[in-house]
Amino acid sequence: TSLITFLYSLFFWIRFENDTAKFQFVETIRWLPYSNINFYIGIDGISLFFVILTTFLTPICILVGFYSVKSYKKEYMIAFFICESFLIAVFCSLDLLIFYVFFESVLIPMFIIIGVWGSRQRKIKAAYQFFLYTLMGSLFMLLAILFIFFQTGTTDLQILPTTEFSERRQILLWIAFFASFSVKVPMVPVHIWLPEAHVEAPTAGSVILAGILLKLGTYGFLRFSIPMFPEATLYFTPFIYVLSVIAIIYTSLTTIRQIDLKKIIAYSSVAHMNFVTIGMFSLNIQGIEGSILLMLSHGLVSSALFLCVGALYDRHKTRIVKYYGGLVSTMPIFSTIFLFFTLANMSLPGTSSFIGELLILVGAFQRNSLVATLAALGMILGAAYSLWLYNRVVFGNFKPNFLLKFSDLNRREVLIFLPFIAGVIWMGVYPEVFLEC
């Protein structure tokens, strides 16, 4: 079923017309008959690839849980299908209130996935932390949406960017939206929930969390905050730059200190997503295109790294770095695949992340050379923690006291990684396909 959904989403890419800026495949259903609020959906070049990324990762999540999930298998599948439906609706929504409904609804299946199929005892605490952090910020956005509705009489996304708000109202509304989107990115200091949620979530939960859910905040900035509140966006751009640079340097340094494999990748995700916000708020075509490419690239690379950690955990039942070493002698196929995604995570030329980060730095340099220079430090620190992790896990002496000699990746696991490898190389070598939409 999930594969059929993925193939159907490719049909939209094939039929997509690149020569128009209008929304395509638009559908409208009357929702609230005595108001102007309708179930209004459609896609453009921004949302197209996020829909495809969602439908691509869902069958991967199903395959990952095929043998590792021992209890409530039916409910596990239902939770992921519901999560996929809500995520597709988020990226297709052309009505502000409908967007909010599905934006918040995604929390429910993810809360259940972390709380029921999590791997350790702290999973309930992590699930509540994830739920409360993201819900509290979104309440401000709901109030802002209601204010916009009573002010303009509509929540139609095609009409609202043409509506003018006073500068003071723009600032207040922008802050309300920022309170919601910054938690989802996540930005410092509201990033604490992410490493905790990743560590306790099952492998498939981490894949969907890193691959799609972290993109909701940056997608919200790009879709709503920037076009609807342009004056407030210019006013708060220095604030975003400061927060993003702090997050990149702070979380990169924090990553080097971590001892849990999942926490290392989770903190690196925070650094990469704050790189995205720098490109987005450079407010030029290079920065914005680079931020979209980096979001898509992160959805592939980070998800694949969590799958690598899941493969190790399924065999050795630990995620603590010090217990690993010498895997190149017992798992050569895994070591090769892990090396590829480690290099992609540190933005090696020829991989998808390099193109995104290069465009972001070009865009940021046009606005503020100091911000671009400080952000580039994230690439150096990213190389430091990526190579440190790979060296500790793969090379050195094998530790038979802690690790058992299990077989290398099986055919199912190799097949799972192949589409990720193809996608990363494709985006890195020929990104024009993704930029022309």
Side-chain angles (χ1 to χ4, degrees), residues 37-98:
I37 302 171
N38 297 314
F39 189 83
Y40 188 28
I41 58 172
I43 59 173
D44 64 354
I46 297 173
S47 54
L48 171 65
F49 290 112
F50 291 110
V51 171
I52 294 174
L53 183 63
T54 304
T55 58
F56 167 73
L57 289 180
T58 303
I60 301 293
C61 293
I62 300 296
L63 273 176
V64 168
F66 213 71
Y67 296 106
S68 60
V69 174
K70 305 297 182 184
S71 60
Y72 304 110
K73 278 197 173 184
K74 182 177 74 173
E75 289 79 5
Y76 176 86
M77 304 295 175
I78 291 171
F80 273 99
F81 282 133
I82 292 173
C83 191
E84 180 187 27
S85 303
F86 289 161
L87 286 168
I88 292 172
V90 165
F91 293 124
C92 293
S93 295
L94 301 183
D95 186 278
L96 199 51
L97 191 60
I98 297 297

Side-chain angles (χ1 to χ4, degrees), residues 103 119 140 184 329 427:
F103 185 80
S119 54
F140 293 101
K184 282 283 203 302
S329 59
M427 287 180 66

Side-chain angles (χ1 to χ4, degrees), residues 202-337:
T203 301
S206 291
V207 167
I208 210 77
L209 190 59
I212 306 295
L213 261 69
L214 295 192
K215 314 300 178 290
L216 296 182
T218 46
Y219 175 80
F221 280 133
L222 188 58
R223 176 67 80 201
F224 302 105
S225 298
I226 294 174
M228 285 169 52
F229 317 120
E231 293 178 21
T233 299
L234 286 171
Y235 181 81
F236 283 108
T237 294
F239 172 67
I240 292 290
Y241 280 166
V242 170
L243 281 186
S244 299
V245 167
I246 290 172
I248 289 170
I249 296 173
Y250 165 69
T251 54
S252 295
L253 292 172
T254 306
T255 305
I256 299 173
R257 295 182 61 251
Q258 298 306 310
I259 60 171
D260 187 295
L261 290 169
K262 270 196 172 183
K263 276 197 175 182
I264 292 169
I265 302 167
Y267 273 109
S268 73
S269 294
V270 178
H272 282 104
M273 293 310 296
N274 280 272
F275 221 102
V276 169
T277 55
I278 285 179
M280 202 166 283
F281 281 85
S282 63
L283 304 177
N284 51 43
I285 191 68
Q286 294 92 342
I288 291 173
E289 285 195 339
S291 64
I292 294 172
L293 267 183
L294 188 57
M295 282 192 278
L296 295 173
S297 170
H298 181 265
L300 296 175
V301 175
S302 185
S303 299
L305 285 171
F306 277 114
L307 289 172
C308 290
V309 173
L312 289 180
Y313 184 78
D314 288 343
R315 286 161 172 76
H316 305 298
K317 303 304 178 188
T318 182
R319 290 195 295 264
I320 306 302
V321 176
K322 70 176 182 180
Y323 295 138
Y324 286 97
L327 288 183
V328 70
S329 59
T330 59
M331 301 177 70
I333 298 174
F334 169 83
S335 300
T336 305
I337 291 174

Side-chain angles (χ1 to χ4, degrees), residues 92-111:
C92 293
S93 295
L94 301 183
D95 186 278
L96 199 51
L97 191 60
I98 297 297
F99 169 84
Y100 175 81
V101 169
F102 289 111
F103 185 80
E104 288 303 290
S105 299
V106 172
L107 297 180
I108 301 168
M110 274 310 300
F111 176 80

